[in-house]
Amino acid sequence: MKVTLKILLAVAVLLLVYMCYRSIMGPIEFKEERDRRETLIKARLIDIRKAQIEYKNLHKVHAANFDELSKFLKNEKIPFLIKEGVLTDEQLEKGMTEKEAVKKGLIRRDTNWVTAVDTLFGSSYNVDDMRNVPGTSVQFSMDTATLTSGSGYTVKVFQCGVLYDDYLGDLDKQLVYNLKDKAEKMNKYPGLRVGSIEEINNNAGNWED
């Protein structure tokens, strides 16, 4: 009987030690994995923002969806500035401008019209993968709107994002719930996004606020 009690006690102690260990390491491991995933997602969202800004420069509105954005990147051309040479300190001190230096043949500034994807990201960039959230089987959500500023001007805006549930859903449920609960209480987007269709924020990422 005493041996059985000792065994049960040892098992209980080991279980308690393990639970204590997990209570400490669980949140640490969750944060490390969350940071790893979010680094990739943020980079993709920044690419989407870059493409949307160029799309709006050309069309005066944002792309309503990824099909439109992909077509723009693959088929349409935007200016690409070729720069050869820079003004020297001596030339700058003399007040010479780039325009004057170009006329004198001291430096070169030419504008070529190149396919948008080549100009923005390079010819090897996978445009078709832009819509996909890295490391998941889901796609980013995309939306556009027209808002009115405080001074009465109308502003075209867009929003692209992914929810915590979609890229962290396979991790600790309680820790994911805590993130969503915090976002809800602070009236924040429960995930990662760039831009907003609720406020004019200059296309900022919500991690950049």
Side-chain angles (χ1 to χ4, degrees), residues 1-9:
M1 190 69 177
K2 289 182 179 181
V3 173
T4 301
L5 288 174
K6 287 180 180 180
I7 293 173
L8 291 174
L9 182 60

Side-chain angles (χ1 to χ4, degrees), residues 102-173:
V102 169
K103 285 183 177 180
K104 293 180 178 181
L106 300 175
I107 61 175
R108 180 188 172 201
R109 297 290 186 268
D110 288 332
T111 300
N112 287 347
W113 286 81
V114 182
T115 304
V117 64
D118 292 348
T119 301
L120 297 176
F121 307 115
S123 59
S124 62
Y125 191 85
N126 188 346
V127 174
D128 294 326
D129 196 42
M130 176 178 275
R131 69 186 68 201
N132 299 319
V133 179
T136 76
S137 59
V138 302
Q139 296 183 352
F140 291 104
S141 63
M142 181 95 82
D143 211 345
T144 62
T146 301
L147 302 180
T148 303
S149 69
S151 55
Y153 290 101
T154 58
V155 180
K156 302 292 184 181
V157 297
F158 89 99
Q159 174 179 302
C160 183
V162 58
L163 300 173
Y164 290 133
D165 280 335
D166 288 331
Y167 71 91
L168 298 175
D170 60 322
L171 301 180
D172 188 295
K173 303 299 182 185

Side-chain angles (χ1 to χ4, degrees), residues 11-105:
V11 171
V13 170
L14 289 173
L15 181 60
L16 182 60
V17 169
Y18 176 77
M19 291 174 64
C20 291
Y21 171 80
R22 291 310 307 164
S23 68
I24 295 172
M25 293 304 299
I28 294 175
E29 293 170 354
F30 176 85
K31 185 179 184 306
E32 289 176 348
E33 180 60 18
R34 176 191 172 193
D35 289 345
R36 185 191 70 80
R37 297 182 186 188
E38 290 192 343
T39 296
L40 298 175
I41 293 171
K42 288 174 185 176
R44 183 67 56 82
L45 285 170
I46 289 171
D47 284 352
I48 293 168
R49 174 173 63 190
K50 189 175 182 180
Q52 279 283 28
I53 289 172
E54 289 300 327
Y55 186 99
K56 183 174 182 290
N57 287 340
L58 191 63
H59 295 283
K60 308 306 178 187
V61 294
H62 294 100
N65 52 58
F66 279 103
D67 288 338
E68 288 184 7
L69 194 60
S70 295
K71 183 178 179 181
F72 160 71
L73 289 170
K74 292 178 180 179
N75 302 326
E76 298 190 48
K77 294 183 178 181
I78 60 177
F80 177 76
L81 180 63
I82 298 174
K83 303 179 72 172
E84 292 182 3
V86 294
L87 292 173
T88 65
D89 290 339
E90 183 180 353
Q91 290 168 336
L92 289 170
E93 289 174 2
K94 290 180 179 179
M96 181 178 289
T97 65
E98 277 199 352
K99 188 175 181 180
E100 291 171 338
V102 169
K103 285 183 177 180
K104 293 180 178 181

